[in-house]
């Protein structure tokens, strides 16, 4: 696959929030952004600048107030909620700062959750894939443990495995190292780097930390709802 093919493109995207006093707050202003197959990008910027809002647009978790979102060449504005969530399920996997694992489910069940809830049955053996991912991420011995019985770094590796279970085109991570110590955080970025370099997995990661952002190949800077720079190396 060519590394230049576009996965998602945001064109003149605005996001408005209606505030309690009736005024309108512009959280995203005229965003133009294209994510290509094989990229490893960081979205950086101060707190409140719109990083998570932008990630929600790219992850189809929220709709723009104005502007277009094109996924694999198709404008998705006409899709209803069911169609959007079906597309989202196969197109993107999420990793969050708080891991967001279900404590009542085992590690393996957590990883399998997106496959369990998928409207479309995956055309591969999800259990086998879960085992493969757990083995690769060094958590296979924990497969029957519960999330609150394993370390933060291990929990985040479970979350990365869960994000990858449906073979998504894109992995989105919002402050994936935010709840981890320096060393463990860097180990999660090592994992992202390997997934990107060895398997061509496309990753977009939100981070506050310059040191983490510098390990990616593209840095998209957001300030007051606008992209103020977009550096590739
Ligand atoms: N549902 C909402 N209603 C109103 N305003 C919102 C809503 N969600 C976000 N905002 C506002 O939009 C702006 C951008 O929020 P966003 O969460 O994207 O920031 P962020 O860059 O991710 O910040 P942080 O680094 O603290 O996570 C902020 O000013 C925030 O208060
Ligand atoms: Mg945020």
């Amino acid at each position: 696959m060519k590394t230049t093919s576009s996965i998602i493109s945001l064109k003149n995207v605005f996001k408005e929030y209606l505030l309690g006093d009736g005024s309108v707050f512009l959280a995203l202003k005229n965003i133009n952004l294209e994510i290509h197959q094989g990229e490893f990008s960081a979205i950086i910027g101060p707190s409140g600048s719109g990083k998570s809002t932008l990630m929600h647009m790219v992850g189809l978790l929220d709709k723009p107030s104005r502007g277009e979102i094109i996924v694999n060449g198709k404008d998705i504005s006409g899709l209803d909620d069911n169609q959007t969530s079906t597309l989202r399920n196969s197109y993107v996997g999420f990793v969050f700062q708080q891991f967001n694992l279900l404590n009542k489910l085992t590690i393996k069940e957590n990883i399998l959750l997106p496959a369990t809830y998928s409207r479309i049955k995956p055309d591969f053996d999800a259990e086998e894939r879960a085992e493969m991912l757990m083995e690769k991420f060094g958590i296979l011995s924990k497969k029957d443990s519960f999330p609150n019985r394993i370390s933060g770094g291990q929990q985040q590796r479970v979350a990365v495995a869960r994000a990858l279970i449906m073979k998504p085109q894109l992995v989105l991570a919002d402050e994936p190292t935010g709840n981890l110590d320096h060393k463990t955080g860097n180990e999660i970025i090592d994992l992202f780097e390997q997934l990107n370099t060895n398997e061509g997995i496309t990753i977009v990661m939100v981070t506050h930390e310059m040191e983490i952002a510098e390990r990616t190949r593209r840095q998209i800077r957001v300030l007051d709802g606008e992209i103020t720079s977009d550096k590739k190396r």
Side-chain angles (χ1 to χ4, degrees):
M1 205 177 288
K2 276 200 330 208
T3 52
T4 49
S5 66
S6 172
I7 295 180
I8 183 165
S9 162
L10 276 60
K11 293 188 177 163
N12 308 109
V13 162
F14 290 76
K15 179 67 186 178
E16 304 173 345
Y17 288 117
L18 192 59
L19 302 183
D21 63 2
S23 65
V24 170
F25 176 74
L26 259 183
L28 294 178
K29 302 169 194 164
N30 201 27
I31 297 285
N32 286 286
L33 177 68
E34 191 157 7
I35 304 294
H36 302 94
Q37 172 73 41
E39 282 178 344
F40 184 13
S41 310
I43 298 178
I44 51 179
S47 182
S49 57
K51 304 182 296 298
S52 294
T53 307
L54 178 57
M55 219 191 77
H56 290 165
M57 296 292 138
V58 174
L60 316 183
L61 288 171
D62 204 355
K63 288 193 167 169
S65 309
R66 270 178 281 155
E68 259 176 65
I69 295 187
I70 316 281
V71 176
N72 296 316
K74 280 196 200 124
D75 182 352
I76 60 147
S77 59
L79 302 186
D80 66 23
D81 287 354
N82 281 342
Q83 291 167 322
T84 306
S85 67
T86 301
L87 172 62
R88 188 195 307 123
N89 207 260
S90 61
Y91 145 82
V92 64
F94 295 96
V95 177
F96 300 97
Q97 178 173 357
Q98 318 282 355
F99 320 135
N100 292 13
L101 302 175
L102 297 181
N103 276 322
K104 288 194 173 148
L105 299 183
T106 65
I107 297 316
K108 186 173 172 185
E109 288 165 346
N110 267 283
I111 293 171
L112 281 168
L113 212 56
T116 312
Y117 280 109
S118 174
R119 273 168 236 264
I120 300 163
K121 211 178 135 25
D123 62 359
F124 52 87
D125 186 331
E127 293 237 355
E128 243 172 54
R129 183 165 170 79
E131 299 264 341
M132 180 278 286
L133 290 166
M134 287 188 288
E135 171 141 51
K136 188 167 15 181
F137 296 174
I139 48 176
L140 191 56
S141 66
K142 303 288 183 186
K143 70 175 179 176
D144 297 318
S145 301
F146 291 90
N148 51 8
R149 303 286 162 144
I150 62 174
S151 73
Q154 288 168 335
Q155 289 185 57
Q156 198 57 305
R157 277 181 272 156
V158 173
V160 177
R162 180 186 55 188
L164 291 170
I165 191 75
M166 297 298 283
K167 301 188 177 174
Q169 281 185 288
L170 179 64
V171 170
L172 294 181
D174 198 344
E175 297 276 1
T177 63
N179 267 351
L180 302 172
D181 62 62
H182 186 260
K183 177 171 170 284
T184 313
N186 269 306
E187 284 166 6
I188 292 295
I189 306 307
D190 292 342
L191 188 62
F192 280 169
E193 225 168 51
Q194 284 160 24
L195 290 167
N196 177 256
T197 310
N198 302 339
E199 298 177 36
I201 294 184
T202 311
I203 303 169
V204 179
M205 170 176 73
V206 169
T207 184
H208 270 107
E209 296 166 72
M210 247 353 260
E211 186 195 331
I212 299 270
E214 274 163 9
R215 297 189 56 188
T216 67
R217 285 184 276 143
R218 180 178 179 188
Q219 286 134 28
I220 301 152
R221 186 176 287 277
V222 179
L223 191 65
D224 291 335
E226 288 180 281
I227 293 177
T228 55
S229 79
D230 188 344
K231 284 191 202 141
K232 290 178 205 177
R233 53 179 175 94

Short mmCIF file of all heavy atoms in Angstrom, two decimals, residues 19-73:
data_model
loop_
_atom_site.label_atom_id
_atom_site.label_comp_id
_atom_site.label_asym_id
_atom_site.label_seq_id
_atom_site.Cartn_x
_atom_site.Cartn_y
_atom_site.Cartn_z
N LEU A 19 -23.07 27.49 24.76
CA LEU A 19 -22.81 27.61 26.19
C LEU A 19 -24.10 27.92 26.96
O LEU A 19 -25.11 28.32 26.37
CB LEU A 19 -21.74 28.67 26.46
CG LEU A 19 -20.40 28.44 25.75
CD1 LEU A 19 -19.39 29.51 26.14
CD2 LEU A 19 -19.84 27.04 26.08
N GLY A 20 -24.04 27.74 28.27
CA GLY A 20 -25.20 27.92 29.13
C GLY A 20 -25.84 29.30 29.02
O GLY A 20 -27.06 29.45 29.13
N ASP A 21 -25.02 30.32 28.77
CA ASP A 21 -25.55 31.69 28.69
C ASP A 21 -26.09 32.02 27.30
O ASP A 21 -26.41 33.18 27.02
CB ASP A 21 -24.46 32.69 29.11
CG ASP A 21 -23.26 32.67 28.17
OD1 ASP A 21 -23.29 31.91 27.17
OD2 ASP A 21 -22.30 33.41 28.42
N GLY A 22 -26.17 30.99 26.43
CA GLY A 22 -26.72 31.20 25.09
C GLY A 22 -25.70 31.62 24.05
O GLY A 22 -26.00 31.66 22.86
N SER A 23 -24.45 31.90 24.49
CA SER A 23 -23.44 32.27 23.51
C SER A 23 -22.84 31.02 22.86
O SER A 23 -23.02 29.91 23.36
CB SER A 23 -22.34 33.10 24.18
OG SER A 23 -21.66 32.30 25.12
N VAL A 24 -22.16 31.25 21.76
CA VAL A 24 -21.57 30.14 21.02
C VAL A 24 -20.05 30.20 21.16
O VAL A 24 -19.44 31.26 20.99
CB VAL A 24 -21.98 30.23 19.52
CG1 VAL A 24 -21.18 29.24 18.68
CG2 VAL A 24 -23.47 29.95 19.37
N PHE A 25 -19.47 29.06 21.50
CA PHE A 25 -18.01 28.99 21.62
C PHE A 25 -17.47 28.18 20.45
O PHE A 25 -17.94 27.08 20.18
CB PHE A 25 -17.64 28.33 22.95
CG PHE A 25 -16.16 28.12 23.11
CD1 PHE A 25 -15.32 29.19 23.37
CD2 PHE A 25 -15.61 26.85 22.95
CE1 PHE A 25 -13.95 29.00 23.49
CE2 PHE A 25 -14.24 26.67 23.07
CZ PHE A 25 -13.41 27.74 23.34
N LEU A 26 -16.48 28.75 19.76
CA LEU A 26 -15.89 28.07 18.61
C LEU A 26 -14.68 27.25 19.06
O LEU A 26 -13.60 27.81 19.31
CB LEU A 26 -15.43 29.10 17.58
CG LEU A 26 -16.31 29.36 16.38
CD1 LEU A 26 -15.63 30.36 15.44
CD2 LEU A 26 -16.65 28.08 15.63
N ALA A 27 -14.85 25.95 19.20
CA ALA A 27 -13.76 25.10 19.68
C ALA A 27 -12.83 24.69 18.56
O ALA A 27 -11.65 24.43 18.80
CB ALA A 27 -14.33 23.86 20.36
N LEU A 28 -13.34 24.63 17.32
CA LEU A 28 -12.48 24.39 16.16
C LEU A 28 -12.84 25.40 15.08
O LEU A 28 -14.02 25.63 14.80
CB LEU A 28 -12.66 22.97 15.61
CG LEU A 28 -12.20 21.80 16.48
CD1 LEU A 28 -12.50 20.47 15.79
CD2 LEU A 28 -10.71 21.88 16.83
N LYS A 29 -11.79 26.01 14.49
CA LYS A 29 -12.01 27.06 13.50
C LYS A 29 -11.33 26.71 12.19
O LYS A 29 -10.09 26.68 12.14
CB LYS A 29 -11.43 28.38 14.02
CG LYS A 29 -12.00 28.84 15.34
CD LYS A 29 -11.18 30.01 15.90
CE LYS A 29 -11.52 30.24 17.35
NZ LYS A 29 -10.51 31.08 18.02
N ASN A 30 -12.10 26.42 11.21
CA ASN A 30 -11.59 26.23 9.85
C ASN A 30 -10.41 25.26 9.79
O ASN A 30 -9.33 25.59 9.30
CB ASN A 30 -11.19 27.58 9.26
CG ASN A 30 -11.15 27.51 7.74
OD1 ASN A 30 -11.84 26.70 7.14
ND2 ASN A 30 -10.32 28.35 7.14
N ILE A 31 -10.64 24.06 10.27
CA ILE A 31 -9.58 23.04 10.30
C ILE A 31 -9.50 22.34 8.95
O ILE A 31 -10.50 21.84 8.42
CB ILE A 31 -9.88 21.99 11.39
CG1 ILE A 31 -9.89 22.62 12.78
CG2 ILE A 31 -8.91 20.81 11.29
CD1 ILE A 31 -8.53 22.97 13.34
N ASN A 32 -8.29 22.32 8.40
CA ASN A 32 -8.01 21.52 7.21
C ASN A 32 -6.88 20.57 7.56
O ASN A 32 -5.79 21.01 7.92
CB ASN A 32 -7.61 22.42 6.03
CG ASN A 32 -8.81 23.14 5.48
OD1 ASN A 32 -9.66 22.55 4.81
ND2 ASN A 32 -8.92 24.43 5.81
N LEU A 33 -7.18 19.29 7.50
CA LEU A 33 -6.21 18.30 7.95
C LEU A 33 -6.42 17.00 7.20
O LEU A 33 -7.55 16.55 7.01
CB LEU A 33 -6.43 18.05 9.46
CG LEU A 33 -5.55 16.98 10.12
CD1 LEU A 33 -4.09 17.41 10.15
CD2 LEU A 33 -6.04 16.69 11.54
N GLU A 34 -5.31 16.43 6.75
CA GLU A 34 -5.39 15.14 6.07
C GLU A 34 -4.46 14.16 6.75
O GLU A 34 -3.30 14.48 7.03
CB GLU A 34 -4.99 15.35 4.61
CG GLU A 34 -5.27 14.16 3.74
CD GLU A 34 -5.40 14.54 2.27
OE1 GLU A 34 -5.14 15.71 1.91
OE2 GLU A 34 -5.73 13.65 1.48
N ILE A 35 -4.97 12.99 7.06
CA ILE A 35 -4.15 11.93 7.65
C ILE A 35 -3.95 10.85 6.60
O ILE A 35 -4.92 10.37 6.00
CB ILE A 35 -4.83 11.33 8.91
CG1 ILE A 35 -5.15 12.41 9.96
CG2 ILE A 35 -3.97 10.20 9.51
CD1 ILE A 35 -3.94 13.08 10.59
N HIS A 36 -2.68 10.48 6.40
CA HIS A 36 -2.35 9.49 5.37
C HIS A 36 -1.97 8.16 6.00
O HIS A 36 -1.43 8.11 7.11
CB HIS A 36 -1.17 9.98 4.52
CG HIS A 36 -1.41 11.29 3.86
ND1 HIS A 36 -1.02 12.48 4.44
CD2 HIS A 36 -2.04 11.61 2.72
CE1 HIS A 36 -1.38 13.47 3.64
NE2 HIS A 36 -2.01 12.97 2.59
N GLN A 37 -2.21 7.13 5.22
CA GLN A 37 -1.81 5.77 5.58
C GLN A 37 -0.34 5.72 5.99
O GLN A 37 0.52 6.25 5.29
CB GLN A 37 -2.06 4.90 4.34
CG GLN A 37 -1.56 3.49 4.43
CD GLN A 37 -2.42 2.66 5.36
OE1 GLN A 37 -3.63 2.79 5.35
NE2 GLN A 37 -1.77 1.84 6.16
N GLY A 38 -0.05 5.13 7.13
CA GLY A 38 1.33 4.90 7.55
C GLY A 38 1.95 6.01 8.38
O GLY A 38 3.07 5.88 8.84
N GLU A 39 1.21 7.10 8.60
CA GLU A 39 1.79 8.21 9.38
C GLU A 39 1.77 7.93 10.88
O GLU A 39 0.93 7.16 11.37
CB GLU A 39 0.98 9.50 9.12
CG GLU A 39 1.31 10.16 7.81
CD GLU A 39 0.47 11.41 7.55
OE1 GLU A 39 -0.56 11.62 8.23
OE2 GLU A 39 0.85 12.16 6.66
N PHE A 40 2.67 8.59 11.58
CA PHE A 40 2.66 8.60 13.05
C PHE A 40 2.72 10.07 13.44
O PHE A 40 3.75 10.73 13.28
CB PHE A 40 3.87 7.82 13.58
CG PHE A 40 3.92 7.68 15.09
CD1 PHE A 40 2.84 7.98 15.89
CD2 PHE A 40 5.08 7.22 15.69
CE1 PHE A 40 2.90 7.83 17.28
CE2 PHE A 40 5.16 7.06 17.08
CZ PHE A 40 4.06 7.37 17.87
N SER A 41 1.59 10.61 13.91
CA SER A 41 1.47 12.04 14.16
C SER A 41 1.15 12.34 15.61
O SER A 41 0.50 11.55 16.28
CB SER A 41 0.34 12.64 13.32
OG SER A 41 0.44 12.25 11.98
N ALA A 42 1.59 13.51 16.03
CA ALA A 42 1.22 14.00 17.36
C ALA A 42 0.41 15.28 17.19
O ALA A 42 0.75 16.13 16.37
CB ALA A 42 2.46 14.28 18.19
N ILE A 43 -0.66 15.39 17.95
CA ILE A 43 -1.40 16.66 18.05
C ILE A 43 -0.97 17.29 19.36
O ILE A 43 -1.13 16.69 20.43
CB ILE A 43 -2.92 16.42 18.03
CG1 ILE A 43 -3.34 15.77 16.71
CG2 ILE A 43 -3.67 17.73 18.25
CD1 ILE A 43 -4.83 15.45 16.60
N ILE A 44 -0.39 18.48 19.27
CA ILE A 44 0.11 19.14 20.47
C ILE A 44 -0.54 20.51 20.63
O ILE A 44 -1.08 21.07 19.67
CB ILE A 44 1.65 19.29 20.43
CG1 ILE A 44 2.10 19.92 19.11
CG2 ILE A 44 2.34 17.96 20.64
CD1 ILE A 44 3.59 20.13 19.01
N GLY A 45 -0.47 21.04 21.84
CA GLY A 45 -1.06 22.36 22.10
C GLY A 45 -1.48 22.44 23.55
O GLY A 45 -1.65 21.42 24.21
N PRO A 46 -1.68 23.67 24.04
CA PRO A 46 -2.02 23.83 25.45
C PRO A 46 -3.40 23.28 25.81
O PRO A 46 -4.21 23.00 24.92
CB PRO A 46 -1.98 25.36 25.66
CG PRO A 46 -1.99 25.96 24.32
CD PRO A 46 -1.52 24.95 23.34
N SER A 47 -3.65 23.15 27.10
CA SER A 47 -4.94 22.69 27.59
C SER A 47 -6.05 23.61 27.10
O SER A 47 -5.91 24.83 27.13
CB SER A 47 -4.90 22.66 29.12
OG SER A 47 -6.11 22.18 29.61
N GLY A 48 -7.11 23.02 26.60
CA GLY A 48 -8.25 23.81 26.13
C GLY A 48 -8.12 24.30 24.71
O GLY A 48 -9.00 25.00 24.20
N SER A 49 -7.03 23.92 24.01
CA SER A 49 -6.81 24.44 22.66
C SER A 49 -7.67 23.72 21.61
O SER A 49 -7.81 24.21 20.49
CB SER A 49 -5.33 24.34 22.29
OG SER A 49 -4.88 23.01 22.40
N GLY A 50 -8.22 22.55 21.96
CA GLY A 50 -9.08 21.86 21.00
C GLY A 50 -8.54 20.51 20.53
O GLY A 50 -9.07 19.92 19.59
N LYS A 51 -7.52 19.99 21.19
CA LYS A 51 -6.89 18.73 20.76
C LYS A 51 -7.88 17.56 20.80
O LYS A 51 -8.00 16.80 19.85
CB LYS A 51 -5.67 18.40 21.64
CG LYS A 51 -4.63 19.50 21.67
CD LYS A 51 -3.42 19.10 22.51
CE LYS A 51 -3.70 18.87 23.99
NZ LYS A 51 -4.21 20.07 24.72
N SER A 52 -8.57 17.43 21.94
CA SER A 52 -9.51 16.30 22.06
C SER A 52 -10.70 16.49 21.12
O SER A 52 -11.18 15.53 20.51
CB SER A 52 -10.01 16.16 23.50
OG SER A 52 -8.93 15.79 24.34
N THR A 53 -11.15 17.73 21.00
CA THR A 53 -12.26 18.01 20.08
C THR A 53 -11.87 17.61 18.65
O THR A 53 -12.66 16.96 17.95
CB THR A 53 -12.62 19.52 20.12
OG1 THR A 53 -12.85 19.88 21.49
CG2 THR A 53 -13.85 19.83 19.31
N LEU A 54 -10.65 17.93 18.27
CA LEU A 54 -10.16 17.57 16.94
C LEU A 54 -10.08 16.05 16.80
O LEU A 54 -10.47 15.48 15.79
CB LEU A 54 -8.79 18.22 16.71
CG LEU A 54 -8.09 17.92 15.39
CD1 LEU A 54 -8.96 18.30 14.19
CD2 LEU A 54 -6.75 18.66 15.31
N MET A 55 -9.57 15.40 17.85
CA MET A 55 -9.48 13.93 17.81
C MET A 55 -10.87 13.29 17.70
O MET A 55 -11.03 12.29 17.01
CB MET A 55 -8.73 13.42 19.03
CG MET A 55 -7.84 12.29 18.64
SD MET A 55 -7.18 11.46 20.05
CE MET A 55 -8.60 10.52 20.52
N HIS A 56 -11.84 13.89 18.36
CA HIS A 56 -13.21 13.35 18.26
C HIS A 56 -13.75 13.47 16.84
O HIS A 56 -14.50 12.60 16.40
CB HIS A 56 -14.13 14.06 19.25
CG HIS A 56 -13.84 13.71 20.67
ND1 HIS A 56 -14.32 14.43 21.73
CD2 HIS A 56 -13.11 12.70 21.20
CE1 HIS A 56 -13.89 13.87 22.86
NE2 HIS A 56 -13.15 12.84 22.56
N MET A 57 -13.35 14.50 16.13
CA MET A 57 -13.77 14.64 14.72
C MET A 57 -13.11 13.55 13.87
O MET A 57 -13.77 12.90 13.07
CB MET A 57 -13.34 16.00 14.14
CG MET A 57 -13.96 17.20 14.80
SD MET A 57 -15.71 17.28 14.45
CE MET A 57 -16.29 17.75 16.05
N VAL A 58 -11.80 13.38 14.07
CA VAL A 58 -11.05 12.39 13.28
C VAL A 58 -11.55 10.97 13.59
O VAL A 58 -11.59 10.11 12.72
CB VAL A 58 -9.53 12.52 13.55
CG1 VAL A 58 -8.75 11.43 12.85
CG2 VAL A 58 -9.02 13.89 13.11
N GLY A 59 -11.99 10.76 14.85
CA GLY A 59 -12.47 9.44 15.25
C GLY A 59 -13.96 9.23 15.04
O GLY A 59 -14.51 8.21 15.44
N LEU A 60 -14.61 10.20 14.40
CA LEU A 60 -16.06 10.13 14.12
C LEU A 60 -16.90 9.96 15.39
O LEU A 60 -17.96 9.36 15.37
CB LEU A 60 -16.40 9.00 13.12
CG LEU A 60 -15.50 8.84 11.90
CD1 LEU A 60 -16.04 7.73 11.01
CD2 LEU A 60 -15.38 10.14 11.12
N LEU A 61 -16.38 10.49 16.50
CA LEU A 61 -17.14 10.43 17.76
C LEU A 61 -18.11 11.61 17.85
O LEU A 61 -19.03 11.60 18.65
CB LEU A 61 -16.19 10.46 18.96
CG LEU A 61 -15.38 9.20 19.21
CD1 LEU A 61 -14.34 9.45 20.30
CD2 LEU A 61 -16.28 8.03 19.61
N ASP A 62 -17.83 12.63 17.07
CA ASP A 62 -18.66 13.82 17.09
C ASP A 62 -18.68 14.42 15.68
O ASP A 62 -17.78 14.16 14.89
CB ASP A 62 -18.04 14.81 18.10
CG ASP A 62 -19.07 15.78 18.63
OD1 ASP A 62 -20.24 15.75 18.15
OD2 ASP A 62 -18.72 16.57 19.52
N LYS A 63 -19.74 15.18 15.40
CA LYS A 63 -19.87 15.75 14.05
C LYS A 63 -19.50 17.22 14.05
O LYS A 63 -19.77 17.92 15.02
CB LYS A 63 -21.32 15.60 13.58
CG LYS A 63 -21.66 14.17 13.26
CD LYS A 63 -22.96 14.05 12.50
CE LYS A 63 -23.04 12.63 11.94
NZ LYS A 63 -24.33 12.29 11.40
N PRO A 64 -18.92 17.67 12.95
CA PRO A 64 -18.62 19.10 12.88
C PRO A 64 -19.89 19.93 12.76
O PRO A 64 -20.91 19.43 12.30
CB PRO A 64 -17.77 19.22 11.62
CG PRO A 64 -18.07 18.03 10.81
CD PRO A 64 -18.53 16.95 11.74
N SER A 65 -19.81 21.19 13.19
CA SER A 65 -20.94 22.10 13.01
C SER A 65 -21.01 22.56 11.56
O SER A 65 -22.09 22.80 11.03
CB SER A 65 -20.78 23.32 13.92
OG SER A 65 -20.53 22.92 15.24
N ARG A 66 -19.83 22.68 10.97
CA ARG A 66 -19.72 23.05 9.55
C ARG A 66 -18.50 22.37 8.97
O ARG A 66 -17.57 22.05 9.70
CB ARG A 66 -19.52 24.56 9.40
CG ARG A 66 -20.79 25.36 9.28
CD ARG A 66 -20.45 26.83 9.18
NE ARG A 66 -20.13 27.40 10.49
CZ ARG A 66 -19.36 28.49 10.67
NH1 ARG A 66 -18.82 29.10 9.64
NH2 ARG A 66 -19.15 28.94 11.89
N GLY A 67 -18.48 22.19 7.67
CA GLY A 67 -17.32 21.61 7.01
C GLY A 67 -17.54 20.15 6.66
O GLY A 67 -18.58 19.58 6.99
N GLU A 68 -16.55 19.58 5.98
CA GLU A 68 -16.68 18.23 5.45
C GLU A 68 -15.68 17.27 6.07
O GLU A 68 -14.54 17.66 6.34
CB GLU A 68 -16.32 18.27 3.95
CG GLU A 68 -17.48 18.27 3.00
CD GLU A 68 -16.97 18.40 1.58
OE1 GLU A 68 -16.27 17.50 1.09
OE2 GLU A 68 -17.25 19.45 0.97
N ILE A 69 -16.11 16.03 6.25
CA ILE A 69 -15.18 14.98 6.65
C ILE A 69 -15.26 13.87 5.61
O ILE A 69 -16.34 13.35 5.32
CB ILE A 69 -15.51 14.44 8.06
CG1 ILE A 69 -15.30 15.57 9.09
CG2 ILE A 69 -14.63 13.24 8.39
CD1 ILE A 69 -15.42 15.16 10.52
N ILE A 70 -14.10 13.58 5.02
CA ILE A 70 -14.03 12.58 3.96
C ILE A 70 -13.24 11.39 4.50
O ILE A 70 -12.07 11.55 4.88
CB ILE A 70 -13.26 13.14 2.72
CG1 ILE A 70 -13.70 14.57 2.38
CG2 ILE A 70 -13.36 12.20 1.53
CD1 ILE A 70 -14.97 14.72 1.65
N VAL A 71 -13.85 10.23 4.52
CA VAL A 71 -13.16 9.01 4.97
C VAL A 71 -13.03 8.07 3.78
O VAL A 71 -14.03 7.74 3.14
CB VAL A 71 -13.94 8.31 6.11
CG1 VAL A 71 -13.26 7.01 6.50
CG2 VAL A 71 -14.04 9.23 7.32
N ASN A 72 -11.81 7.70 3.48
CA ASN A 72 -11.52 6.83 2.33
C ASN A 72 -12.23 7.33 1.07
O ASN A 72 -12.86 6.56 0.34
CB ASN A 72 -11.92 5.38 2.63
CG ASN A 72 -11.09 4.81 3.77
OD1 ASN A 72 -9.88 5.00 3.81
ND2 ASN A 72 -11.74 4.14 4.70
N GLY A 73 -12.15 8.64 0.86
CA GLY A 73 -12.69 9.23 -0.35
C GLY A 73 -14.18 9.55 -0.32
O GLY A 73 -14.71 10.10 -1.29
#
